[in-house]
Amino acid sequence: MSPQEESDCPRFDQAHSFSSSDRRISALVRHLTVPTHASPMDSISAAPTSAFGTADSVFAHVVQAPEDPILGVTVAYNKDPSPNKLNLGVGAYRTEEGKPLVLNVVRRAEQQLVNDRSRVKEYLPIIGLAEFNKLSAKLIFGAESPAILENRVTTVQCLSGTGSLRVGAEFLARHYHERTIYIPVPTWGNHPKVFTLGGLSVKTYRYYDPATRGLNFQGLLEDLGSAPSGAIVLLHACAHNPTGVDPTLEQWEQIRQLMRSKGLLPFFDSAYQGFASGRLDADAQSIRMFVADGGECLVAQSYAKNMGLYGERVGAFSIVCKSADVARRVESQLKLVIRPMYSNPPIHGASIVATILRDRDMYNEWTVELKAMADRIISMRHELFDALRARGTPGDWSHIIKQIGMFTFTGLNSEQVAFMTKEYHIYMTSDGRISMAGLSSRTVPHLADAIHAAVTRMG
Ligand code: PGU
């Protein structure tokens, strides 16, 4: 590889290798570099003569890939015939009856859309539905945000949170001088893959302290303090996944001061606005602190959880810039990232969101339904905590009620998780994360029995 190719190739920090992505990238680099070394004759003589007319597939060398660490949990769950099985893997809201929930306000918006015969299925612009983008920016930055009023924000509709992160990564890889992004340990398992394949180099900062089951604030400040000036920092806006541990507002303020003093670039992942506290504005506080200081930042927004639009893939990616002029040029370049990736985003989910956000009555109905989801999750925390206490399960389980958002990071190890899956048909990620939204009053005793058995027998 030439030095140029090498510098174009995304890398992981050596200390934290993510081998499957690494392999995929080196395969990609090999693939891309072959034509420069091979003459047309080489490719003819190198063609396998037995490629046609034999039983061998040209893909015979392809190895079986492992299941995704999160979505693969659902694959395993679906195969289990047990009537008592419980899926606490994926972060997806379930009702008290254990069923997926379509919000009433979403049903209403969809009905309205279907009834409107003037609606057509034309392509959206490359950056999506203009009204959706405007309303999404207002939702996350606040209606009175000076950055919006001064037209310093560019917002583009993307494919949910994941697509927003990916578009952001590719934009940064092309247009930002520092290609290193720092992500917390631990973090959502897809982050390192999205950023690496988006062209960034991933490093980590300390975040969670297993001993206290809380924030390793000192470690976080030290690691960000020694990051190179200009480095990108991925921050979970609220309801950190998987730990459920968020900085306090005072700690956010210290993080902000440190990052601004070092010129570190904040990239917020907001996948749970409204799910942490049940209040949309409160859950956007961290982001708004960074916007209020006049500095620049990036935000990936998802409507998967807070509007229950998981499979509709609705999200928005925003960049807050210093001036309207820069924001305009940035937007023109975002279009060049998106166009060859998927051309333009789908219309239906964004229309649902715009219908709800533009209408005061529907917006209010949404906030009530959102609060009900957040409250049910919080009550599940209390029920599980009480059930473990009632069983006298060894250990301090107060983190279950202290942690925030959709997940509890239980502290159970992978052997204990495997035991609970085998003996109790309870499915969760191997890091001991459980989706509290998948629990109900009916299933809490089963989970508490399983945790009790895992801790006492596999302790
Ligand atoms: N960012 C964070 C922090 C997330 O937790 C998730 C979803 C996303 C982004 C992406 O969400 P979108 O659906 O693309 O909007 N995490 C869930 C859902 C399953 C998954 O891994 O995609 C989870 O269970 O962790």
Side-chain angles (χ1 to χ4, degrees):
M1 247 191 290
S2 71
Q4 180 55 40
E5 283 160 348
E6 210 154 357
S7 73
D8 284 343
C9 170
R11 286 172 296 110
F12 280 124
D13 180 14
Q14 293 298 319
H16 308 277
S17 75
F18 301 92
S19 59
S20 65
S21 299
D22 263 343
R23 272 198 300 280
R24 198 174 147 201
I25 290 157
S26 41
L28 196 66
V29 170
R30 270 201 308 280
H31 170 75
L32 292 173
T33 51
V34 163
T36 56
H37 305 305
S39 75
M41 285 309 289
D42 286 341
S43 65
I44 291 168
S45 58
T49 49
S50 61
F52 301 102
T54 75
D56 283 344
S57 167
V58 293
F59 304 115
H61 60 285
V62 175
V63 296
Q64 182 66 40
E67 288 288 355
D68 181 83
I70 297 175
L71 301 182
V73 174
T74 303
V75 175
Y77 168 84
N78 286 338
K79 286 185 192 154
D80 186 338
S82 166
N84 298 324
K85 64 181 178 176
L86 184 56
N87 187 1
L88 304 177
V90 67
Y93 186 81
R94 297 286 176 264
T95 62
E96 191 45 41
E97 291 72 43
K99 298 273 185 299
L101 177 68
V102 180
L103 299 185
N104 191 54
V105 72
V106 167
R107 295 257 191 236
R108 267 176 75 197
E110 284 191 308
Q111 201 56 59
Q112 202 171 305
L113 293 169
V114 169
N115 291 346
D116 181 354
R117 301 291 298 178
S118 71
R119 288 180 53 78
V120 291
K121 305 281 188 193
E122 288 293 282
Y123 290 128
L124 285 181
I126 295 170
I127 61 166
L129 200 63
E131 191 190 13
F132 165 87
N133 291 335
K134 240 183 152 150
L135 292 166
S136 294
K138 264 173 76 174
L139 184 69
I140 197 77
F141 299 118
E144 305 303 322
S145 172
I148 296 179
L149 300 176
E150 292 157 15
N151 294 316
R152 294 191 283 113
V153 185
T154 171
T155 303
V156 298
Q157 183 192 330
C158 290
L159 305 183
S160 214
T162 310
S164 305
L165 293 165
R166 178 64 186 251
V167 165
E170 297 211 6
F171 172 83
L172 289 168
R174 284 189 204 183
H175 299 286
Y176 187 58
H177 65 89
E178 172 58 75
R179 295 226 199 119
T180 306
I181 186 162
Y182 282 76
I183 61 174
V185 180
T187 193
W188 179 48
N190 216 15
H191 276 148
K193 300 169 197 169
V194 168
F195 293 131
T196 305
L197 293 170
L200 300 176
S201 166
V202 173
K203 289 193 174 159
T204 57
Y205 64 89
R206 280 172 284 171
Y207 188 85
Y208 178 74
D209 182 356
T212 62
R213 297 213 169 106
L215 186 67
N216 182 354
F217 191 50
Q218 207 47 46
L220 178 151
L221 292 179
E222 277 170 29
D223 289 351
L224 296 188
S226 54
S229 160
I232 309 153
V233 179
L234 189 274
L235 300 161
H236 293 229
C238 68
H240 182 273
N241 177 9
T243 66
V245 172
D246 285 348
T248 62
L249 282 183
E250 292 71 32
Q251 288 170 330
W252 272 120
E253 175 54 21
Q254 267 178 274
I255 296 169
R256 186 193 68 75
Q257 283 177 14
L258 172 69
M259 286 184 58
R260 290 310 194 199
S261 73
K262 291 208 52 162
L264 302 174
L265 183 64
F267 190 163
F268 282 98
D269 182 354
S270 176
Y272 299 95
Q273 189 186 1
F275 254 80
S277 68
R279 286 168 296 135
L280 288 155
D281 288 327
D283 289 355
Q285 254 339 85
S286 57
I287 295 176
R288 292 180 190 176
M289 284 166 68
F290 279 77
V291 177
D293 68 15
E296 302 185 302
C297 69
L298 299 84
V299 181
Q301 250 175 295
S302 167
Y303 289 97
K305 328 277 165 153
N306 59 13
M307 251 187 223
L309 293 175
Y310 306 90
E312 296 290 356
R313 313 306 294 144
V314 206
F317 173 64
S318 293
I319 307 187
V320 178
C321 305
K322 282 271 167 110
S323 72
D325 183 43
V326 173
R328 242 187 323 274
R329 281 181 279 132
V330 163
E331 184 166 299
S332 73
Q333 289 295 336
L334 284 170
K335 286 157 102 174
L336 299 192
V337 172
I338 293 166
R339 172 67 169 147
M341 206 191 280
Y342 54 86
S343 191
N344 49 74
I347 196 167
H348 185 67
S351 305
I352 296 172
V353 173
T355 303
I356 294 170
L357 295 186
R358 87 160 77 93
D359 181 284
R360 184 185 292 267
D361 173 54
M362 282 194 175
Y363 182 91
N364 288 340
E365 183 175 353
W366 174 44
T367 59
V368 171
E369 289 191 88
L370 178 57
K371 176 88 171 47
M373 289 194 284
D375 285 350
R376 201 185 80 72
I377 294 171
I378 292 168
S379 72
M380 286 304 108
R381 292 188 179 281
H382 288 278
E383 286 187 26
L384 179 60
F385 176 70
D386 291 346
L388 289 172
R389 223 173 28 184
R391 281 162 182 73
T393 308
D396 173 7
W397 297 94
S398 60
H399 56 287
I400 296 178
I401 43 181
K402 285 188 206 137
Q403 291 173 354
I404 295 165
M406 218 164 190
F407 304 108
T408 290
F409 206 45
T410 58
L412 295 164
N413 61 37
S414 57
E415 286 82 37
Q416 291 168 325
V417 170
F419 167 84
M420 287 167 58
T421 305
K422 185 161 175 279
E423 302 296 328
Y424 288 83
H425 306 274
I426 291 173
Y427 289 78
M428 54 202 277
T429 51
S430 62
D431 58 2
R433 184 192 86 167
I434 57 178
S435 172
M436 298 307 287
L439 266 183
S440 68
S441 300
R442 192 176 50 81
T443 52
V444 161
H446 183 53
L447 176 61
D449 287 345
I451 293 177
H452 186 83
V455 169
T456 49
R457 287 195 229 159
M458 322 269 305

